[in-house]
Amino acid sequence: MIEDGNAAVRLRGISARFGSHTALEGVDIDVCEGEFVALVGPTGCGKSTLLNVVAGLALPSSGDVHLLGETMKGPDRRTGYLFQQDALLPWKTALDNVAAGLIFRGEDIKEARLKAQVWIDKVHLKGFENHYPHQLSGGMKKRVGLAQILILDPNILLMDEPFSALDIQTRNLMENELLRLWQEDRKTVLFVTHDLEEAIALADRVVVLSAGPRASVIGDFEVPLARPRDVMEIRLTEAFLEIYRRIWGILRGEVMKSYAR
Amino acid sequence: MLDKHKVRLYQIGLLVGSLTLWEAMARYELLDQFFFSRPLSILSRLFELLATADTYRHLSITFTETLLAFIIGTALGIGAGLWLALAPMALKVLTPYIKAFNAIPRVVLAPIFTLWFGLGIASKVALGVTLVFFLTFFNTWQGVREVNPVVLANARMLGAGRGHLLRHVYLPSAAGWIISSLRSAIGFAVVGAVVGEYLGSAAGLGYLIAQAEGVFDTTGVFAGMTTMLVFVLILDWTVSRVERRILAWRPAASAGEEMI
């Protein structure tokens, strides 16, 4: 079991109710420092709601969120959030989007732009600094989004199906890109997805949520795959299929339930 | 490219054709020149007007009134729109009053403003402001309400405070709405100025038109109207230039629907 001290994210008894509808009930999750945890569950089970609660963008109806040992009271500066939808500021260039967080935190504009340039290069967008989001492809926008968050050096990364809108090739590229960047300093990651393959390929641990309403944690699996990984190659290995079969055994029933509704 | 030329050609054809028809009908007395005048005499009157120094005094007065009404009205409208969009309580309290004030036909305020502010520039500016204010106000308010919630949440997560949100999210997001209102606002500012002058003043384009009307000088009325038309087109063109610069970040399709 996880020691009390080193849980970066600790959720205890999280419930979320919207009127008479209970989306989440009694969700307990711990994410250790430096751990990459994927949260899977059928569509509509409240994964995004849960992530919004961790981000401080939504309040749980009951339960506690602890971040880095402290009770969370609202959006935390040590948390970075990569959204599913386009979340870039459409009126800012790629460079200024990456610099935005630093400027919000009071850094000098020139200084912020210099640092942003470094990150633009890091996510392979050299030459696109002065493009506006609408001039970038879906994958490029995600790269900007990633740089926008990582430049702030957050302790905890929250990701809400960030690559689900991308085509499959771009998606695999972005997943590898994410792993490469994550490998550099191993931040704590809570990654929400409905794609089990993606979850296993990326994460150290996969947590399974049941179909809503009243979704809760019904499975917690270590992913014993070596790093560094290549998300395209690793899917073909026996160890990957083995863990996939085990988790799918639980997830399948939940997916069926959510279809039946 | 070819299509564009074709459109331009038809546009010019339509103008020349209808003016020629008007001229011909007036010459062959199908239209009474006393009531309808005719394009060529309006044109020669225009040249007369342009040759008179006094005309420029009238024009500059109308221009000043328009500009003041435009600037004051939009500044107040944007300010109030932003404030009310971000302060839901104040909005709830003030909504019925805003609706009530907006329901007043502005023309009936003109005599009151003349009483309050005199026959000079101030009463016309006040009239223009009441017209411009509500337009920019409603547009700003709407623009702020339509901020993309994901972009807003993202900015919050990146650490934006209230001031940052206003400057980096709400204002640019509302900019499209605000700027599209600016083009109508400049028209309203002109209406405020000219109607104000028309109803009671000693100078300005509206005054010139009212004078001509007073002596049944239709040619003079049309000449005044033409001057005003050109005046508004120039202002509108200027605003659309500004619009294109500010909205450079937008996809080309929705940025500048060019009419002129």
Side-chain angles (χ1 to χ4, degrees):
Chain A
M1 248 350 264
I2 301 137
E3 284 291 318
D4 259 31
N6 64 353
V9 178
R10 155 159 306 174
L11 307 178
R12 283 292 174 269
I14 301 290
S15 298
R17 280 182 285 275
F18 304 97
S20 61
H21 175 77
T22 305
L24 299 164
E25 196 165 66
V27 175
D28 297 331
I29 297 176
D30 283 302
V31 183
C32 295
E33 244 167 84
E35 193 181 25
F36 196 130
V37 170
L39 193 61
V40 294
T43 36
C45 72
K47 302 184 293 281
S48 299
T49 308
L50 188 61
L51 211 59
N52 282 336
V53 166
V54 181
L57 290 172
L59 283 174
S61 311
S62 60
D64 294 306
V65 180
H66 297 272
L67 295 183
L68 304 160
E70 298 161 27
T71 308
M72 191 201 60
K73 293 180 199 74
D76 193 298
R77 296 209 154 189
R78 294 166 301 178
T79 309
Y81 195 132
L82 193 58
F83 291 83
Q84 181 179 12
Q85 307 96 319
D86 272 341
L88 299 178
L89 305 171
W91 39 85
K92 286 188 188 289
T93 60
L95 187 74
D96 283 340
N97 258 292
V98 177
L102 292 177
I103 291 167
F104 294 158
R105 285 162 200 221
E107 203 151 321
D108 176 66
I109 290 179
K110 265 192 187 148
E111 194 91 350
R113 284 204 175 126
L114 280 177
K115 287 185 184 165
Q117 185 61 51
V118 175
W119 271 98
I120 287 276
D121 298 349
K122 244 182 177 172
V123 294
H124 307 303
L125 282 176
K126 212 182 175 89
F128 293 95
E129 300 85 340
N130 295 321
H131 284 55
Y132 288 99
H134 76 87
Q135 299 168 311
L136 300 172
S137 70
M140 287 171 164
K141 279 189 258 193
K142 283 298 165 199
R143 285 167 199 270
V144 177
L146 210 50
Q148 190 178 47
I149 290 155
L150 293 177
I151 197 173
L152 300 173
D153 196 25
N155 298 70
I156 300 162
L157 273 179
L158 305 175
M159 304 196 170
D160 183 15
E161 307 197 28
F163 309 138
S164 61
L166 304 177
D167 64 83
I168 192 72
Q169 283 89 0
T170 314
R171 188 170 171 172
N172 288 338
L173 279 173
M174 284 305 299
E175 287 162 359
N176 273 337
E177 190 85 9
L178 173 63
L179 283 186
R180 180 178 67 81
L181 292 167
W182 176 73
Q183 216 94 32
E184 285 181 10
D185 53 1
R186 301 229 175 190
K187 297 178 186 308
T188 308
V189 180
L190 188 56
F191 189 103
V192 160
T193 176
H194 61 263
D195 180 353
L196 182 53
E197 280 197 41
E198 182 178 48
I200 299 170
L202 294 175
D204 297 319
R205 198 151 60 88
V206 176
V207 173
V208 183
L209 278 185
S210 63
R214 300 174 186 282
S216 59
V217 177
I218 52 162
D220 194 332
F221 299 84
E222 294 287 333
V223 179
L225 301 172
R227 296 190 189 269
R229 303 174 187 168
D230 179 298
V231 294
M232 280 159 275
E233 302 291 323
I234 205 164
R235 283 166 211 230
L236 306 171
T237 63
E238 200 46 51
F240 182 93
L241 291 174
E242 161 64 25
I243 181 90
Y244 187 93
R245 267 185 225 111
R246 276 175 52 209
I247 303 177
W248 181 239
I250 285 190
L251 189 58
R252 180 173 44 202
E254 298 305 317
V255 172
M256 290 306 161
K257 262 189 244 167
S258 80
Y259 272 131
R261 269 186 293 119
Chain B
M1 231 29 216
L2 248 165
D3 246 22
K4 215 172 156 186
H5 287 307
K6 227 175 178 175
V7 168
R8 202 41 58 95
L9 199 70
Y10 286 148
Q11 281 176 336
I12 294 169
L14 189 64
L15 179 71
V16 173
S18 48
L19 287 179
T20 312
L21 186 69
W22 181 3
E23 180 76 28
M25 285 175 78
R27 294 230 169 173
Y28 293 105
E29 290 179 359
L30 291 164
L31 284 175
D32 192 331
Q33 286 199 30
F34 179 77
F35 290 113
F36 293 97
S37 188
R38 60 190 176 85
L40 285 182
S41 54
I42 294 168
L43 194 69
S44 70
R45 179 68 69 87
L46 270 175
F47 281 120
E48 266 172 51
L49 277 175
L50 291 180
T52 327
D54 208 35
T55 310
Y56 296 99
R57 187 176 62 87
H58 290 297
L59 263 176
S60 78
I61 283 172
T62 304
F63 181 69
T64 312
E65 290 163 354
T66 303
L67 211 63
L68 280 175
F70 177 72
I71 292 170
I72 299 172
T74 46
L76 288 177
I78 292 171
L82 282 176
W83 175 55
L84 284 188
L86 300 176
M89 191 61 198
L91 179 72
K92 273 183 198 147
V93 173
L94 292 177
T95 297
Y97 297 103
I98 293 166
K99 282 190 178 153
F101 278 118
N102 192 34
I104 301 173
R106 253 35 70 78
V107 179
V108 305
L109 291 177
I112 296 186
F113 285 152
T114 310
L115 276 176
W116 288 352
F117 303 114
L119 281 173
I121 281 182
S123 58
K124 283 76 193 169
V125 173
L127 189 61
V129 166
T130 61
L131 286 165
V132 171
F133 170 80
F134 285 100
L135 184 74
T136 24
F137 167 74
F138 283 122
N139 273 277
T140 307
W141 180 54
Q142 187 67 21
V144 171
R145 284 197 334 161
E146 295 210 342
V147 165
N148 180 343
V150 179
V151 172
L152 190 62
N154 189 27
R156 279 218 180 98
M157 287 307 294
L158 292 172
R162 258 182 95 85
H164 291 125
L165 288 179
L166 196 64
R167 228 189 95 201
H168 296 274
V169 181
Y170 288 115
L171 254 181
S173 172
W177 283 85
I178 294 173
I179 285 180
S180 69
S181 79
L182 292 189
R183 290 181 75 174
S184 325
I186 199 82
F188 275 21
V190 175
V191 168
V194 172
V195 169
E197 289 164 359
Y198 185 85
L199 292 177
S201 71
L205 265 180
Y207 167 79
L208 279 186
I209 294 174
Q211 288 296 98
E213 226 170 62
V215 295
F216 298 104
D217 174 15
T218 30
T219 309
V221 174
F222 278 118
M225 272 165 52
T226 314
T227 318
M228 203 165 82
L229 192 113
V230 174
F231 179 70
V232 173
L233 282 181
I234 292 171
L235 289 177
D236 186 78
W237 179 80
T238 316
V239 174
S240 78
R241 297 289 298 212
V242 175
E243 172 177 347
R244 248 182 297 171
R245 287 209 49 171
I246 297 183
L247 296 183
W249 58 271
R250 285 202 170 181
S254 65
E257 279 111 288
E258 270 311 289
M259 291 303 285
I260 354 164

